[in-house]
Amino acid sequence: MTDTVPTTPAPTRLDELVAVMARLRAPGGCPWDADQTHESLVQYLVEETYELIEAIETGDRDAMLEELGDVLYQVLFHADIAAHTPGEDFDIQDVAEQMTRKMVGRHPHVFGGDRTAETADDVVGFWDELKKQEKPGRTSVLDGIPQGMPSLALADKLLGRAEKVGLLDLSESGGVQVGSEDELGPLLLAIVASAKAQGLDAERALRSTLRELQGEIREQEATA
């Protein structure tokens, strides 16, 4: 009886892409790729992310396929840099392992934990508890929010945190009543147009107000 020689699985398309990245950054590969750093790639990560968002919002299937690949390539790029940077020493497999562990830990209602969840609201409720356990150094609901987010996205995030600490009740907020995003978009544009006509910077104005809101949130946390 002859011994059966185990066969090596054929590389996946993802394996091939990882190999392409390694070849480009290896000696004898592409000088531009070899020169890149985490910092130099930030502008491309931002650009590719916005291009993916546009593809999603326009419903362009082919563009989405391409832009997802571009974003994935940025992840592989950073992982390959880390694999060859003393003190970082991780690769894409380590990234995947950590993310798998994180997602399993964040979903005990799916992977055999002691939690049950019937609705999305149930899940959000105990995610906050899990995050506190994972990051005990965070003392404020504002910790971990990137201040470099676009101002409207940051405003949305901060309003949610303000409601969480009892500073606001968004269900009772007055202000301008709009029924759809089709109504909201032109209204926001009109506000920016009015600001521009008067020489005002809408972005700076909103960011200034958001800094004040963050101060109010921290005060609310201190007195709670």
Side-chain angles (χ1 to χ4, degrees), residues 96-111 127 130-131 134:
E97 178 185 11
Q98 178 163 313
M99 195 61 191
T100 299
R101 187 166 58 248
K102 179 178 180 179
M103 287 299 99
V104 171
R106 289 273 180 92
H107 295 80
H109 54 295
V110 176
F111 295 101
W127 267 354
L130 293 170
K131 288 177 183 178
E134 293 173 1

Side-chain angles (χ1 to χ4, degrees), residues 35-221:
D35 283 348
Q36 299 313 301
T37 65
H38 293 305
E39 292 75 17
S40 70
L41 290 174
V42 168
Q43 60 179 317
Y44 303 107
L45 177 58
V46 172
E47 180 180 337
E48 301 298 358
T49 300
Y50 277 119
E51 289 180 359
L52 173 57
I53 292 170
E54 182 175 351
I56 292 172
E57 291 181 345
T58 58
D60 188 329
R61 181 262 184 195
D62 292 337
M64 194 185 306
L65 177 61
E66 178 180 355
E67 301 307 337
L68 279 169
D70 287 342
V71 172
L72 172 61
Y73 194 73
Q74 290 296 310
V75 175
L76 296 177
F77 214 141
H78 283 280
D80 192 80
I81 291 173
H84 297 90
T85 301
E88 295 183 2
D89 304 317
F90 64 82
D91 61 15
I92 193 61
Q93 298 300 332
D94 297 311
V95 173
E97 178 185 11
Q98 178 163 313
M99 195 61 191
T100 299
R101 187 166 58 248
K102 179 178 180 179
M103 287 299 99
V104 171
R106 289 273 180 92
H107 295 80
H109 54 295
V110 176
F111 295 101
D114 58 356
R115 300 271 190 167
T116 59
E118 300 297 331
T119 68
D121 287 340
D122 293 338
V123 176
V124 173
F126 63 74
W127 267 354
D128 288 339
E129 299 175 28
L130 293 170
K131 288 177 183 178
K132 288 179 181 178
Q133 296 171 13
E134 293 173 1
K135 301 182 184 294
R138 292 185 176 179
T139 58
S140 170
V141 295
L142 300 176
D143 291 343
I145 297 178
Q147 295 300 305
M149 292 174 66
S151 59
L152 281 176
L154 182 59
D156 184 271
K157 181 74 71 174
L158 292 178
L159 287 170
R161 299 301 167 86
E163 185 174 42
K164 183 174 293 186
V165 300
L167 183 62
L168 298 175
D169 184 351
L170 295 179
S171 66
E172 298 180 357
S173 63
V176 180
Q177 300 297 316
V178 290
S180 69
E181 291 182 359
D182 288 338
E183 295 178 16
L184 178 60
L187 177 59
L188 292 172
L189 183 60
I191 293 172
V192 175
S194 178
K196 184 175 180 62
Q198 300 175 68
L200 303 176
D201 188 325
E203 175 75 14
R204 184 169 59 221
L206 180 54
R207 285 198 172 276
S208 176
T209 300
L210 293 179
R211 282 192 292 272
E212 294 174 2
L213 176 58
Q214 292 186 74
E216 294 174 9
I217 291 173
R218 293 190 186 280
E219 290 177 5
Q220 179 76 5
E221 288 179 316

